Amino acid sequence: NDEEHQMATRLLAKEHATFDPLMTAEEAAQYLSVHTETILRYARQRAIACVKARGTTARVKFRLSVLNQWIRANEKPAVRTLSVLRNE
């Protein structure tokens, strides 16, 4: 019925809102526009949090939310943009 459909839709929306995908080192590096070794070094230095995936090989994964948080924490204003604004 319609009420059950609406409840299911709300539950799916809530689940989707809290979904935080994991990315491989290669995907995370591409997302940040850095080399794969760079993001792995950041992980070793604990500059970016990672999740160690269990398995036969030692792999790490990166949460998209952590990468976005790292971007915000490391943002710097563009110098050229500031100088243009000062001249106006």
Side-chain angles (χ1 to χ4, degrees), residues 33-88:
S33 298
V34 297
H35 194 275
T36 304
E37 282 302 315
T38 302
I39 195 155
L40 291 172
R41 184 176 65 249
Y42 291 164
R44 282 192 303 275
Q45 296 170 343
R46 298 177 193 249
I48 293 182
C50 64
V51 176
K52 292 182 182 177
R54 294 179 185 236
T56 56
T57 58
R59 294 236 178 241
V60 294
K61 302 270 185 162
F62 298 86
R63 293 191 188 281
L64 181 59
S65 62
V66 170
L67 298 177
N68 287 330
Q69 182 181 17
W70 185 86
I71 290 169
R72 284 189 297 277
N74 290 282
E75 280 181 326
K76 293 177 179 55
V79 176
R80 183 179 184 122
T81 302
L82 291 176
S83 63
V84 169
L85 290 174
R86 287 185 195 134
N87 291 334
E88 289 183 1

Side-chain angles (χ1 to χ4, degrees), residues 6-26:
Q6 287 177 353
M7 186 181 348
T9 301
R10 283 194 299 273
L11 287 172
L12 285 173
K14 183 178 180 183
E15 182 180 317
H16 181 68
T18 59
F19 178 68
D20 193 8
L22 292 174
M23 302 172 85
T24 65
E26 292 80 11

